[in-house]
Amino acid sequence: MTNNIEGKVVVITGASSGLGEATARFLSAQGATVVLGARRADRIQSLAGELTGKGGKAIAVATDVTDYGQVKRLVDAAVQACGRIDVMINNAGLMPSSPLERLKIDDWNQMIDVNIKGVLYGIAAALPPMQQQKSGHIINVSSVAGHKVGPGSAVYAATKHAVLALSEGLRQEVKPYNIRTTVISPGAVATELPDSVTDPATAERIRKFYAEVAIPAASFARAVAFAITQPEEVDVNEILFRPTRQEL
Ligand SMILES: NC(=O)c1ccc[n+]([C@@H]2O[C@H](COP(=O)([O-])OP(=O)(O)OC[C@H]3O[C@@H](n4cnc5c(N)ncnc54)[C@H](OP(=O)(O)O)[C@@H]3O)[C@@H](O)[C@H]2O)c1
């Protein structure tokens, strides 16, 4: 392992677009085996085919992270195919933000199910094999919204604050197993995330904001690679980055 990425088995949820897809491409190009999970099976299958065609190793497993059984199946597929799991990236998430007074309860439930429970299920699926191996790396995706709350983003911010709390608790608990933990909090990055906003006024505001400041998804992939490529005794626990022009 020359770059500490080559040969690693990396499971990525939400690999069908945006940050997850960019990370899969970046890590695959550096010799990782990537195991891709998302609901849109056609997208992850075609990405796996593309990466394999370039000489990489990639597996696609249709996964809804709100179902623990499906997340376990994703991790099990990695362990069965490769004999181990080195990195679990709990990236799947959505952001249907709106002011609380709109009472978009379905959106609230979806954010809680995907952004919080999905991360927990990823931890639950990856922990047992990593504990057995006495090695591993769990990377959770929070947000600037995990550090700041603005009007219209209360529920999304709450889910991302939860990811920070879970990551810190996890960090402290997995020391005996030699498992590293990283939580990455991006600012505005150009992905399909704004498409998940269902409230028209909020969608318009967020689209305009992203059009003005968002940076490419490769910025996130490089942050992931930075954490993974550290020597095994170095545990990068938190990364917060924004577009240089982003104020909040
Ligand atoms: N882009 C940003 O500015 C930004 C900033 C801070 C944090 N983040 C976080 O980054 C993560 C990735 O988002 P993104 O920006 O890359 O947005 P994106 O392009 O919309 O990608 C979201 C990914 O999550 C997956 N996903 C959603 N619901 C899922 C479910 N129930 N089961 C499995 N996968 C599911 C989607 O796949 P399917 O629809 O195919 O299932 C997709 O691959 C999210 O956690 C987001 O909150 C993004």
Side-chain angles (χ1 to χ4, degrees):
M1 260 181 224
T2 49
N3 60 6
N4 214 15
I5 291 179
E6 192 179 348
K8 283 197 165 171
V9 179
V10 183
V11 177
I12 307 172
T13 68
S16 59
S17 66
L19 306 186
E21 179 184 348
T23 303
R25 288 181 193 284
F26 196 83
L27 297 181
S28 176
Q30 300 193 44
T33 296
V34 291
V35 182
L36 314 172
R39 292 166 305 173
R40 286 172 291 179
D42 52 335
R43 288 237 202 161
I44 51 173
Q45 273 157 8
S46 107
L47 177 59
E50 182 194 319
L51 299 177
T52 308
K54 288 180 182 159
K57 290 191 191 134
I59 303 169
V61 182
T63 308
D64 184 333
V65 298
T66 65
D67 177 345
Y68 168 62
Q70 293 190 33
V71 184
K72 185 169 184 311
R73 204 181 55 169
L74 171 70
V75 170
D76 287 351
V79 175
Q80 267 161 26
C82 310
R84 55 186 297 107
I85 168 175
D86 296 301
V87 185
M88 177 77 192
I89 307 181
N90 290 308
N91 163 73
L94 32 80
M95 186 182 66
S97 299
S98 58
L100 290 167
E101 66 182 16
R102 301 272 151 79
L103 306 184
K104 286 194 162 271
I105 289 166
D106 289 346
D107 285 351
W108 301 350
N109 284 332
Q110 211 189 1
M111 281 189 276
I112 290 164
D113 287 345
V114 177
N115 299 1
I116 303 180
K117 290 188 189 171
V119 170
L120 275 171
Y121 295 159
I123 292 169
L127 256 189
M130 287 183 178
Q131 284 174 311
Q132 211 172 18
Q133 295 166 182
K134 282 252 176 4
S135 74
H137 192 166
I138 296 180
I139 300 177
N140 296 329
V141 182
S142 179
S143 168
V144 162
H147 300 258
K148 307 249 177 196
V149 189
S153 80
V155 180
Y156 180 70
T159 65
K160 293 301 183 179
H161 276 71
V163 173
L164 277 190
L166 290 171
S167 302
E168 174 57 11
L170 179 70
R171 183 190 73 76
Q172 294 175 28
E173 291 183 22
V174 295
K175 292 285 151 192
Y177 305 105
N178 189 38
I179 296 171
R180 303 193 290 179
T181 61
T182 304
V183 60
I184 304 183
S185 300
V189 180
T191 66
E192 295 175 17
L193 195 69
D195 298 348
S196 64
V197 184
T198 61
D199 178 56
T202 308
E204 163 115 22
R205 177 174 60 76
I206 290 176
R207 277 226 177 77
K208 191 162 172 283
F209 175 64
Y210 271 65
E212 281 167 9
V213 305
I215 51 178
S219 57
F220 174 82
R222 285 193 300 269
V224 170
F226 172 76
I228 298 177
T229 51
Q230 298 307 307
E232 290 298 326
E233 71 271 21
V234 178
D235 193 10
V236 175
N237 301 127
E238 288 196 45
I239 298 175
L240 167 60
F241 73 93
R242 295 174 173 82
T244 308
R245 297 198 306 151
Q246 181 176 343
E247 281 176 23
L248 181 75

